[in-house]
Amino acid sequence: MTLANTLHQIDGSGYGAYKRISGTHRLTNDIELSVDRVQSDPFAPPSLIQVRVPLESTGIVPETLAGVGSVAAGDHLTRRVVRAIGEHAPHGGKTAGKLSIDTPGQQVLERTSVVFTNGPSPKVVVRMEAALPAQGRRIRGRAAATLLTKALPKVINQALLNISHRDLDDAVTLFADQIALREMLVEHDLVGFIADGAILPRAAGNSDVPAHQAVPFESPASLQRSFTLPSGRVLTGMALPRGVSLIVGGGYHGKSTLLRALEHGVYNHIGGDGREFAVTVDDAVALRAEDGRSVANVDIATFIRDLPAGTDTTRFSTTNASGSTSQAAGLMEALEAGATTLLIDEDTSATNFMIRDERMRKLVPREKEPITPLLDRIRTLWQDQGVSTVLVAGGSGAFLDVVDRVVLLDHYRVFDITSRAQQLAEPIEEQEPFPTPKHRIPKRLGPPKNQRGSNKGWQAKGLRSIRHSNTTIDLTALHQLVDPAQTNSIAAILRALENEVNGARSLTDLITQLFDKIQHDGLETISPFRGHPGRLAKPRPQEVFATINRNRSVAMLDPGPSTPEMPETESHPDQQ
Ligand code: ADP
Ligand code: MG
């Protein structure tokens, strides 16, 4: 029986009868539908469906998908499906049913929404959802038949079977160029590059699209470099070398906007975004103060020691960090997660973590001040650990003594004022060596077994939180987490890691190995489902580390090097 017939037959039946459409259906010569998971009632999350189309029918040649091409093409086709749903299957109200697909933002990420299979008859696979229509709890079979056998083929026809190959090739070329540019940064000892003409400001605080009437980026002559990309495109722009860079300038002149562009430069952007060629080394981590967060056995002694209560800061744990301890922990954790560049904005930093001025040094003697500010560590962080910093600090001249270069923002224009700043700089005392970050060993990632109840494990709730039982991980501070599908992936990664954690392998080890597996077997390898992987987009390892570090239920073994057999001094596991 055809799908349409089945749906007509169950029209008016109880909602559960929708289960009968599970399985594979041929909709047209080119379009095969598989209904993977049928929702159990009209209010449950929508049913999961997949559409398969022969690659040949789309006109996409395998060369387009070579190398990173499949990621860019998958993103491009996902956007085409989003548009086609808007045109051919717009949401017609509560009872009408609805098609949907993961909707990408300004970043081009590897995702599971559209993928390509290899083999003798390669296919394009589209992962979507269908909210199956109901009247009360009764099936609206005719509406469902229209949705799945009429609207869906129209969507696929427009999105996949009538592709503009020029647009697709442009998207693939742009993506490959951005990746190549990011690789060139490393080759040329740079941390970031912003092309002339880039549009950095966004339309609004809650909108990631480019601002209208922005002043295009223009590089100062002294920092200008040109790069030839694989496509043949030649770019000129500001190249920011490794080391310590300071961004200064009056309030509201565009400092934070520039830093934010560097934060997001770890990702590739779609054509027209304005930040296509604003790129940063891919392990750069934005660091900020987050008072109230939890910290689990982090050695922050290089920044904070001799706390009044006698707390051992070489294995610092707290359920409620202060601004400065949170930022110190965040920095040490970022190093553990492999960051080679830190991005720090005075707007979101704890002042006492950043600086201590001369008069305060005189007033409060060193022995009475537990905090060694970043100012006193930033040079050896670079010299001993090779970690660069890009710092926005318009409020204090103290950093002038410790930086390699200074750029001034004036009316959104960048000037290299390094030599002028150097005339004002004063010699500094030699800084203490910066220690190598420790690699902590997790004993348990979730709440203890007896506190779990009947729970499905880690679940993402929107972009910035992940839940398990009664523990919530707050990801508000992770500005480099950009897509809810990345959060879904991190939740799936936590589930996958949970079984690997054994009290012997380091967090770094566990995460590195899982990312190797993703690289090898694809993002779907972390999906908790078979067949339809759900909405997953690839996160960076840095955000996975950061999530685990903010997990109040994690138990970290003591990393202390002086302890031969790793005693279990668990971080305070508390439930929210
Ligand atoms: P600062 O950190 O120096 O105080 P911001 O980066 O927060 O300044 O920018 C202040 C305002 O100027 C923001 O509303 C931002 O969107 C806008 N802005 C930043 N860069 C530009 C630009 N190149 N052109 C136009 N407006 C910009
Ligand atoms: Mg600012």
Side-chain angles (χ1 to χ4, degrees):
M1 192 160 29
T2 65
L3 175 61
N5 287 347
T6 310
L7 287 167
H8 284 150
Q9 206 174 62
I10 60 176
D11 187 60
S13 305
Y15 203 84
Y18 265 135
K19 297 271 185 237
R20 282 177 53 193
I21 67 166
S22 291
T24 311
H25 312 277
R26 178 151 295 284
L27 298 183
T28 72
N29 242 348
D30 284 328
I31 304 174
E32 186 186 85
L33 165 69
S34 85
V35 179
D36 298 326
R37 267 162 51 122
V38 180
Q39 64 201 103
S40 51
D41 68 73
F43 313 102
S47 305
L48 301 181
I49 63 173
Q50 291 187 75
V51 172
R52 290 188 191 80
V53 172
L55 184 65
E56 211 181 346
S57 310
T58 66
I60 298 174
V61 291
E63 294 74 65
T64 305
L65 305 178
V68 296
S70 62
V71 173
D75 173 273
H76 185 73
L77 296 187
T78 302
R79 293 171 198 272
R80 289 186 61 92
V81 174
V82 170
R83 267 199 306 278
I85 289 174
E87 282 172 39
H88 296 291
H91 190 23
K94 259 188 199 150
T95 64
K98 180 175 147 185
L99 296 176
S100 53
I101 188 169
D102 194 8
T103 304
Q106 297 297 100
Q107 288 80 20
V108 180
L109 303 174
E110 179 176 348
R111 45 177 92 235
T112 53
S113 48
V114 174
V115 298
F116 305 90
T117 64
N118 297 317
S121 56
K123 293 198 168 53
V124 183
V125 185
V126 185
R127 278 70 178 256
M128 303 173 64
E129 300 97 29
L132 298 172
Q135 189 79 56
R137 293 193 164 270
R138 305 253 150 235
I139 285 175
R140 286 189 66 203
R142 280 159 210 287
T146 307
L147 187 74
L148 294 179
T149 69
K150 300 259 165 39
L152 180 59
K154 273 191 200 158
V155 166
I156 297 301
N157 199 48
Q158 177 181 321
L160 265 62
L161 300 172
N162 286 288
I163 293 175
S164 155
H165 290 281
R166 206 175 144 187
D167 290 354
L168 174 64
D169 288 344
D170 284 351
V172 170
T173 304
L174 175 62
F175 186 75
D177 273 352
Q178 294 178 48
I179 289 184
L181 181 59
R182 197 170 290 106
E183 283 166 2
M184 290 176 198
L185 295 183
V186 177
E187 267 168 53
H188 290 88
D189 279 327
L190 304 172
V191 296
F193 177 85
I194 298 183
D196 289 342
I199 300 297
L200 305 186
R202 301 293 96 190
N206 59 358
S207 167
D208 203 29
V209 302
H212 299 296
Q213 300 190 324
V215 177
F217 188 84
E218 209 182 307
S219 52
S222 56
L223 292 173
Q224 211 168 60
R225 294 276 287 264
S226 289
F227 292 103
T228 305
L229 304 181
S231 68
R233 184 199 281 262
V234 180
L235 289 178
T236 301
M238 179 177 84
L240 217 45
R242 297 176 68 206
V244 184
S245 303
L246 180 65
I247 300 172
V248 301
Y252 229 63
H253 280 257
K255 304 183 297 297
S256 296
T257 302
L258 174 59
L259 194 76
R260 185 100 344 147
L262 292 172
E263 288 173 14
H264 287 130
V266 300
Y267 294 117
N268 298 317
H269 290 95
I270 53 170
D273 175 82
R275 299 169 295 185
E276 294 94 313
F277 298 112
V279 302
T280 311
V281 290
D282 61 10
D283 58 22
V285 169
L287 185 68
R288 56 184 295 165
E290 282 175 78
D291 54 321
R293 64 160 280 197
S294 62
V295 176
N297 269 8
V298 178
D299 182 351
I300 56 169
T302 194
F303 290 105
I304 295 164
R305 55 182 82 146
D306 308 322
L307 286 176
T311 313
D312 179 1
T313 55
T314 62
R315 53 198 64 168
F316 181 73
S317 293
T318 180
T319 59
N320 185 7
S322 66
S324 56
T325 52
S326 69
Q327 209 164 354
L331 191 150
M332 298 312 291
E333 290 166 346
L335 302 189
E336 184 185 14
T340 62
T341 300
L342 301 174
L343 306 170
I344 303 175
D345 192 336
E346 62 182 351
D347 288 355
T348 48
S349 293
T351 307
N352 57 348
F353 171 75
M354 300 283 277
I355 51 170
R356 211 146 72 87
D357 70 15
E358 279 318 313
R359 273 191 283 176
M360 204 45 90
R361 280 174 212 257
K362 281 182 194 139
L363 194 63
V364 182
R366 173 70 190 88
E367 320 78 75
K368 296 252 163 63
E369 173 51 74
I371 304 174
T372 304
L374 179 65
L375 177 65
D376 294 350
R377 285 287 176 270
I378 203 163
R379 283 239 58 89
T380 50
L381 175 59
W382 163 236
Q383 285 158 0
D384 300 342
Q385 300 302 329
V387 174
S388 303
T389 307
V390 182
L391 194 69
V392 170
S396 165
F399 280 104
L400 294 177
D401 303 339
V402 295
V403 300
D404 298 307
R405 73 202 55 80
V406 184
V407 301
L408 168 77
L409 270 156
D410 183 9
H411 292 84
Y412 318 128
R413 290 198 47 205
V414 180
F415 299 88
D416 181 354
I417 57 163
T418 307
S419 48
R420 202 144 57 84
Q422 273 164 354
Q423 287 163 14
L424 297 175
E426 286 168 14
I428 54 162
E429 284 172 33
E430 202 177 318
Q431 300 192 348
E432 219 178 275
F434 201 101
T436 303
K438 290 174 183 167
H439 293 276
R440 292 165 303 152
I441 297 170
K443 185 183 162 224
R444 179 163 52 60
L445 286 191
K449 285 235 159 57
N450 59 3
Q451 290 173 25
R452 287 184 186 199
S454 58
N455 195 282
K456 294 200 210 84
W458 297 105
Q459 305 274 347
K461 303 285 172 204
L463 176 60
R464 305 217 179 272
S465 96
I466 291 181
R467 256 194 251 160
H468 185 332
S469 312
N470 49 4
T471 296
T472 300
I473 311 179
D474 179 1
L475 306 178
T476 315
L478 307 190
H479 273 239
Q480 291 169 297
L481 185 65
V482 292
D483 193 301
Q486 289 183 307
T487 316
N488 287 340
S489 295
I490 295 177
I493 287 172
L494 292 190
R495 291 198 209 183
L497 283 183
E498 200 141 41
N499 307 316
E500 304 287 322
V501 165
N502 60 4
R505 298 176 59 197
S506 71
L507 193 56
T508 309
D509 225 28
L510 290 160
I511 294 176
T512 307
Q513 198 189 346
L514 193 69
F515 272 83
D516 286 348
K517 192 166 164 221
I518 293 173
Q519 187 66 33
H520 192 258
D521 302 337
L523 193 52
E524 290 166 41
T525 185
I526 59 170
S527 168
F529 311 119
R530 270 166 183 270
H532 193 302
R535 296 183 170 196
L536 301 178
K538 196 173 178 184
R540 297 191 310 157
Q542 281 74 22
E543 274 63 56
V544 175
F545 275 94
T547 301
I548 293 172
N549 286 326
R550 283 157 185 76
N551 172 7
R552 291 176 182 275
S553 63
V554 77
M556 288 282 186
L557 292 177
D558 199 321
S562 54
T563 46
E565 74 234 304
M566 302 270 186
E568 281 188 24
T569 52
E570 288 191 8
S571 60
H572 313 212
D574 74 324
Q575 307 299 308
Q576 283 191 331

